[in-house]
Amino acid sequence: MSVDTAEPSEFSPRQNAVLEQALRLLVDGGEKALTTSGVARAANCSKESLYKWFGDRDGLLSAMIAYQASKVRTFERNGERLTAASLHDHVVIFARDLLEVLAGDVSLALNRLAIGQSNRDGSKLGKLLLERGRRQIDRRAMALIDAGKRAGLLRFSDADEAYHTLYGLVVSDLHVRMLLGEPGLKDTARQAEKAVTAFLRLYGTDKVLAEMPVLG
């Protein structure tokens, strides 16, 4: 398995557990704590296993970011026939997961570390966050939106624009404020539902709008 191309689903439960320990080390101790020796000790595995599974330190970081991004669930049921109700549910799950992952200690630590490194090392961590994190989430969420259009539930001429509208409605400026030290949302479910309702009112077809509650 190539570390550069592996998806999180291709990692075993044991490897995912190691990645979880590596992420926790990063949150608790910062970049200096993220050594092969430290990860091996925390995860109770050998350094040889780490190299075999993930390659070098950059490979480990790449896998950590992809694993973190995989916590944002999207439409992944092959053959499922979307309905207005199931589309709504899938998008709400995506929105809630996105808010909870972005607001979590791990994502905040990774982004703060990337910002701190932005003037050195060619912003390597920042590039990994984009390629293995944000773009992985984007691709899977776009697949959901495209499936909604094919099912006659969404209408748009530009899928990228529609997706980024959804992303903006869900996240707004929350992530920036949290990176600057503000507390996160107390009710991610409410924010997710509010954002998805606004998105479906903008892009939903008559099938979807007919099943939505009338605004009072």
Side-chain angles (χ1 to χ4, degrees):
M1 176 178 62
S2 167
V3 173
D4 291 336
T5 60
E7 292 298 319
S9 59
E10 295 176 355
F11 292 128
S12 69
R14 175 63 176 134
Q15 290 165 345
N16 285 339
V18 171
L19 294 172
E20 195 70 52
Q21 288 297 323
L23 288 167
R24 182 49 50 193
L25 275 178
L26 182 66
V27 171
D28 293 342
E31 183 182 9
K32 292 181 179 178
L34 194 63
T35 64
T36 53
S37 296
V39 173
R41 185 164 52 251
N44 193 28
C45 70
S46 67
K47 288 194 289 184
E48 289 75 18
S49 292
L50 290 179
Y51 286 118
K52 178 182 176 182
W53 293 336
F54 309 116
D56 59 14
R57 188 172 181 274
D58 287 346
L60 175 62
L61 269 173
S62 177
M64 289 164 60
I65 292 165
Y67 170 70
Q68 183 68 4
S70 73
K71 296 176 183 178
V72 181
R73 294 167 291 170
T74 51
F75 179 64
E76 296 173 349
R77 298 176 189 171
N78 292 331
E80 177 181 356
R81 186 171 182 273
L82 279 176
T83 64
S86 63
L87 174 66
H88 168 274
D89 291 347
H90 279 303
V91 182
V92 167
I93 287 170
F94 163 76
R96 287 187 65 175
D97 285 356
L98 181 63
L99 286 169
E100 289 170 8
V101 167
L102 289 179
D105 290 343
V106 169
S107 289
L108 290 174
L110 282 167
N111 279 275
R112 285 171 178 150
L113 181 57
I115 292 168
Q117 292 182 354
S118 60
N119 291 325
R120 61 186 175 89
D121 297 334
S123 302
K124 186 178 293 183
L125 179 56
K127 290 177 182 176
L128 284 174
L129 282 171
L130 284 173
E131 292 294 336
R132 298 289 283 155
R134 173 65 187 269
R135 286 173 188 160
Q136 180 192 133
I137 292 171
D138 291 352
R139 283 193 296 271
R140 289 187 283 113
M142 288 277 284
L144 169 58
I145 288 176
D146 284 337
K149 184 177 182 178
R150 290 195 303 274
L153 301 171
L154 297 175
R155 55 187 167 200
F156 49 79
S157 57
D158 188 327
D160 188 67
E161 179 182 290
Y163 167 65
H164 283 92
T165 298
L166 172 62
Y167 192 96
L169 287 168
V170 174
V171 178
S172 185
D173 63 345
L174 172 68
H175 200 217
V176 173
R177 297 203 317 269
M178 291 194 68
L179 286 169
L180 294 174
E182 282 194 16
L185 291 171
K186 293 182 179 179
D187 190 350
T188 55
R190 184 174 182 275
Q191 171 64 15
E193 186 66 50
K194 180 180 176 182
V196 172
T197 296
F199 173 75
L200 293 177
R201 290 194 183 282
L202 285 170
Y203 292 100
T205 63
D206 291 343
K207 290 181 185 178
V208 172
L209 297 176
E211 294 192 22
M212 296 183 68
V214 177
L215 293 176

